[in-house]
Each structure stands twice: as C-alpha cells, then as structure tokens.
Amino acid sequence: MSEGTFQLKVFSGRGLEVEAEVRSVNVPSETGELGFLAKHCEYVGLISTGIAQYVDATDAAPQRFIASGGICTFSNNVLTLLADFVDLPASLDKGPLSDDVELLRTQLESLSLFDPEWELLSHRVARIEAIRELAAK
C-alpha cells in the first residue's frame, strides 16, 4: 500500500462486493455522512441506506455504490462495510421507480415513528431514491 491509502472491503449477503486500495471513502450514516482517510482512528458504527463513494489509489473519478444498512469498522488501516444490501452501478435495475416511491411515501405518512413498519418503509424509500440518483449520473 502506498502512503495515504488504505484498504476498503465491502460485503453483503452475497459476499465480497468491493475490494480496493483507496485514498478516501464517504459512507452514509443515520447522523450524516462519514468520511474516512488513511490512518483514521479506530471506529465502529452503523451505516444507513444511501450512496457510498470512494476514490481509489490512482485518484481516478470517484466510484459510487448504494449501501443499505449495516455496520462499518475502521481498524489497522482497513475500512470494512458489512451491508444488508449493496447495489453496484452495473447491476442497477433502472426501471420505473416513481410509482413505488410515491406509494411508499404515502404509507409512511400514515404511520407513526414508533410503528415497527416505519423503519422498513423508510429504508425502502431511501434505497429507491439512491438508485434514482446513482442511475441519473
């Protein structure tokens, strides 16, 4: 590994999704975006549904993917994401999503934050919005 880089490993239920030597990574979290650089302090936290982005060691254009829930850890210059789902740009279904998201938003408005279904629907809406954003680029 060269100076100023670290390892990124992204896993989902399908196995290893991304493995790269990177200069920086941004990950969605419930409290905002988390940013990681080489030699970051040790960290363990939750990730939320949204677009994650990394710049590889060659400083090429940023690579993006959708991470849906899970945890991330940074230790010994390795950032590991254990995501519930990972959607890579090449595997995105770019079909019509507008009807789905509007229906889900309507359902969300009828639920209380304390309803167990609220969190599930909220993550589904966030995933659809992230797919739309990633597909538009």
Side-chain angles (χ1 to χ4, degrees):
M1 236 180 324
S2 62
E3 185 67 28
T5 65
F6 60 100
Q7 283 296 119
L8 169 65
K9 295 181 180 187
V10 181
F11 295 90
S12 74
R14 295 184 302 240
L16 182 63
E17 300 273 359
V18 176
E19 183 172 24
E21 183 178 348
V22 298
R23 293 198 178 282
S24 66
V25 177
N26 292 334
V27 178
S29 80
E30 295 295 332
T31 57
E33 194 170 81
L34 301 172
F36 295 92
L37 297 171
K39 300 178 184 174
H40 193 282
C41 66
E42 296 218 353
Y43 178 84
V44 175
L46 297 175
I47 56 176
S48 65
T49 300
I51 295 177
Q53 176 175 293
Y54 64 92
V55 175
D56 69 20
T58 65
D59 285 327
Q63 302 294 309
R64 296 161 40 121
F65 62 92
I66 298 170
S68 297
I71 64 169
C72 71
T73 65
F74 194 96
S75 180
N76 297 321
N77 231 22
V78 178
L79 177 63
T80 305
L81 275 64
L82 304 173
D84 296 334
F85 300 100
V86 172
D87 295 295
L88 302 173
S91 65
L92 284 179
D93 178 9
K94 297 174 178 130
L97 299 169
S98 58
D99 293 342
D100 292 344
V101 77
E102 294 310 319
L103 177 63
L104 292 172
R105 281 189 182 134
T106 301
Q107 291 174 347
L108 265 177
E109 290 172 4
S110 68
L111 296 174
S112 160
L113 286 173
F114 302 106
D115 191 310
E117 229 179 298
W118 186 90
E119 185 174 4
L120 176 65
L121 289 177
S122 176
H123 283 285
R124 287 179 65 194
V125 168
R127 185 166 180 251
I128 289 171
E129 289 173 343
I131 289 170
R132 285 169 138 178
E133 184 181 336
L134 196 58
K137 298 282 179 182

